[in-house]
Amino acid sequence: MDKLQKTAKELEGMLRSALQKQHGAIIDDLKIRVFRTKADLPDWNAEIVGGERVVEDDVKNTFERDSAELQRQFGLAD
């Protein structure tokens, strides 16, 4: 079954929303990068990049769990 396709901006917003729901305002300054893992395929991954501060372990765990769940549901659109 083909996955629904989302843009990188949409996927970033979904990840940010999930983090916001779990952790409140502490994630406002995080930079999230969504990127294609294989050329010409909808496979993608995401990471928290840059940032002015250390990201807490519980935030990282939530991010990784939610990212994996979204990867199962959605492919990355062109």
Side-chain angles (χ1 to χ4, degrees), residues 15 31-35 45-49 63 67:
L15 287 166
K31 294 178 183 169
I32 298 173
R33 182 174 81 101
V34 174
F35 55 94
N45 204 345
E47 64 185 357
I48 297 173
V49 294
F63 180 82
S67 180

Side-chain angles (χ1 to χ4, degrees), residues 1-6 42 73-77:
M1 182 169 114
D2 287 332
K3 297 178 188 177
L4 291 175
Q5 303 290 297
K6 298 283 185 182
Q73 295 179 39
F74 302 104
L76 182 60

Side-chain angles (χ1 to χ4, degrees), residues 50-62:
E52 305 278 316
R53 63 178 171 83
V54 174
V55 179
E56 296 84 6
D57 286 341
D58 60 332
V59 173
K60 287 180 187 177
N61 292 338
T62 300

